[in-house]
Amino acid sequence: MSKTDPEIPDVTPDLFRPSVGRAWLTAVIAVAAFFIPQEIPLEWYPLNNPSSGLRYLEITCAANATGNVRIYLQGIRGNNDLDAIGWPIGPSEMAFTYTFPLPDMPLNGLRVYPLDQPGELRITNFRLLNRRGVELRRFTCGSFTTNAGVEVMPTKEGWRMTEFRRSGVWEWASIDFGHYTAAEGMNTRNLQRCLLSTSYLALMLWILLLAVFFAFRRPEPWRKTTASMAFLALLGVLFSFVGNRGLIRNSVRYSLVELPPRSTKLTLEMDVTVSRPAIAQLFWDTGEGFNEKDSCISPLGDSPNEQTLRFPLPEKTIAALRFDPLDRSGRLNVRRVRLIDGNGDVRCTFDPDAFESVQQIATLKKQEETMVIETTPNAGDPILLVKPKPLAQLNQVRSSISKQATRTGK
């Protein structure tokens, strides 16, 4: 009669069995790893669910030399290559439009490095816009401050940036917003990114851990197997936060940036060219008719290059707007008209044909995107009126800002 050998107990340790000690150890490691810097955060965001609030940087430019253009986005992280836009450019007489999506972070300025070698960059259009194509902020020649190596000069259709290289240094010009600006819905989108990216990474980690678990799984009841699978899910969640630590921490920092209240001050801006030096004047009627007290003067210099007229508006409902383009005979070309608030944001734009003739106007016609205004010979007081539709749009913006200021108590 043969004896059966006694069963030898399996003493192999179960590395996947949940325990309080293992849970605490995992949590401590995950928390410590969360504070390790992460230069490029993982990010997963479905492209089939875009937001109209996303911002884009649009620039139309041409160069007379081969080189590279770089624009640094000024935010809470300062100048760094991760928050920069760059592209190669070659010599061309024709300007091309480049559009770049911007990260969902607060901005307080831009730094433009025109070329990485001596040359000239000609810019005809430079602005921020949203996904719907609505203009959010427009930059002009006067928006820039420069260092000794870059010169910014106006042209007929915009401005040119000329770089003078000094010992291989890449020179720059900067735009200071004066405060932080953020895209509409930024915090909501960043929260979605954090939740979706963390959930996606947690699922991927759990699947990998399950693959290892079932490859080395010891025979055991399914009740215990389920407990081990739940413990592995906890590991996946904890370390998904570690994997997305850069995205999460940046999103929190962005949400804490203090943005300025919406300003109730409005300014009407026009980009124009003029045939001779003159004075432009804007009158507004708030119930007392047109008079010198309710008006603003903007001089036009002796230059064929583009100039920007700025007329601060009253904080009242405007019944009528009168525009005297010149105080003498001549020609004025209006390229763009926009309404700017006190924060520098574009609240609305108007078509250049927003005016109608009243007196001493010989020509008032639209050529492509420019309104040509030519006075009669020997004109001394040419007058235009703003049409009812753009005037109503202006008052609607004024009303919207006033309501918002009332709600926020500003």
Side-chain angles (χ1 to χ4, degrees):
M1 183 175 177
S2 63
K3 292 185 178 181
T4 305
D5 295 333
E7 183 178 351
I8 301 175
D10 189 349
V11 294
T12 304
D14 186 354
L15 300 178
F16 302 100
R17 181 64 56 82
S19 69
V20 175
R22 288 175 176 176
W24 274 108
L25 178 62
T26 302
V28 170
I29 295 175
V31 170
F34 184 84
F35 292 97
I36 298 175
Q38 185 180 39
E39 290 294 327
I40 304 178
L42 299 175
E43 183 174 320
W44 181 79
Y45 193 62
L47 297 179
N48 60 350
N49 186 26
S51 169
S52 60
L54 292 170
R55 293 188 297 186
Y56 294 80
L57 181 68
E58 181 183 273
I59 181 171
T60 304
C61 61
N64 64 355
T66 300
N68 295 282
V69 182
R70 185 172 286 270
I71 300 175
Y72 282 85
L73 309 176
Q74 304 288 292
I76 62 176
R77 298 195 290 183
N79 276 342
N80 66 86
D81 290 333
L82 298 178
D83 297 329
I85 298 168
W87 70 97
I89 194 169
S92 172
E93 291 297 324
M94 179 182 297
F96 294 91
T97 298
Y98 304 87
T99 304
F100 305 96
L102 297 180
D104 253 337
M105 69 177 193
L107 296 177
N108 63 357
L110 302 170
R111 178 173 287 190
V112 181
Y113 291 78
L115 289 171
D116 56 356
Q117 64 177 2
E120 180 180 284
L121 185 70
R122 301 185 304 277
I123 302 176
T124 59
N125 179 52
F126 195 23
R127 61 178 183 160
L128 296 181
L129 64 159
N130 64 16
R131 194 177 181 88
R132 298 189 301 269
V134 176
E135 186 173 282
L136 303 176
R137 185 177 285 257
R138 176 168 288 277
F139 309 112
T140 64
C141 179
S143 302
F144 289 89
T145 57
T146 65
N147 64 0
V150 174
E151 180 183 59
V152 180
M153 297 296 293
T155 63
K156 286 186 176 181
E157 296 183 344
W159 63 94
R160 68 175 185 270
M161 303 179 70
T162 305
E163 176 160 352
F164 308 98
R165 298 281 285 175
R166 297 179 301 168
S167 303
V169 177
W170 198 352
E171 307 293 350
W172 50 267
S174 64
I175 300 175
D176 184 8
F177 296 172
H179 54 80
Y180 280 104
T181 68
E184 180 184 355
M186 177 192 71
N187 290 333
T188 300
R189 285 191 300 276
N190 281 334
L191 176 60
Q192 291 176 334
R193 288 187 179 95
C194 290
L195 293 175
L196 291 170
S197 296
T198 303
S199 300
Y200 181 78
L201 184 57
L203 178 62
M204 294 299 100
L205 290 174
W206 189 44
I207 291 174
L208 291 174
L209 291 172
L210 287 179
V212 176
F213 169 65
F214 282 106
F216 296 96
R217 172 176 173 267
R218 294 168 51 190
E220 62 181 356
W222 275 103
R223 182 178 60 81
K224 294 183 179 180
T225 299
T226 303
S228 297
M229 293 173 62
F231 180 64
L232 296 180
L234 174 63
L235 296 183
V237 170
L238 287 174
F239 285 95
S240 67
F241 283 102
V242 175
N244 283 289
R245 61 190 182 277
L247 175 62
I248 296 170
R249 289 158 66 182
N250 285 340
S251 298
V252 173
R253 292 171 66 194
Y254 297 158
S255 67
L256 297 177
V257 171
E258 185 176 353
L259 302 177
R262 180 64 67 188
S263 173
T264 57
K265 296 180 180 179
L266 293 176
T267 300
L268 191 66
E269 289 189 354
M270 305 180 194
D271 295 330
V272 303
T273 56
V274 66
S275 61
R276 57 186 297 190
I279 293 177
Q281 190 169 9
L282 186 74
F283 294 83
W284 50 83
D285 177 8
T286 58
E288 300 179 8
F290 294 121
N291 59 80
E292 291 292 331
K293 177 175 65 72
D294 295 329
S295 71
C296 182
I297 291 176
S298 184
L300 291 160
D302 185 11
S303 172
N305 298 322
E306 187 174 87
Q307 305 176 52
T308 300
L309 300 177
R310 293 181 175 88
F311 301 104
L313 298 175
E315 298 188 26
K316 299 179 181 178
T317 300
I318 299 174
L321 270 179
R322 166 185 156 184
F323 179 48
D324 294 4
L326 304 167
D327 61 345
R328 62 194 69 182
S329 61
R331 174 173 171 166
L332 184 75
N333 297 329
V334 180
R335 189 177 174 204
R336 285 181 289 262
V337 183
R338 56 189 174 272
L339 192 64
I340 308 293
D341 66 17
N343 298 328
D345 297 324
V346 177
R347 299 311 305 264
C348 66
T349 58
F350 304 110
D351 196 89
D353 65 355
F355 307 102
E356 55 187 5
S357 174
V358 175
Q359 69 178 34
Q360 297 183 2
I361 302 295
T363 302
L364 183 63
K365 63 180 180 181
K366 186 176 180 181
Q367 294 180 350
E368 296 181 351
E369 297 182 355
T370 301
M371 175 59 65
V372 178
I373 304 170
E374 193 165 357
T375 69
T376 57
N378 302 318
D381 189 22
I383 296 176
L384 298 168
L385 282 179
V386 174
K387 294 178 180 179
K389 184 176 180 180
L391 181 61
Q393 191 176 359
L394 186 155
N395 284 319
Q396 184 177 5
V397 171
R398 163 71 67 204
S399 175
S400 174
I401 291 177
S402 298
K403 291 179 180 178
Q404 185 178 18
T406 301
R407 287 196 303 269
T408 57
K410 303 292 184 182

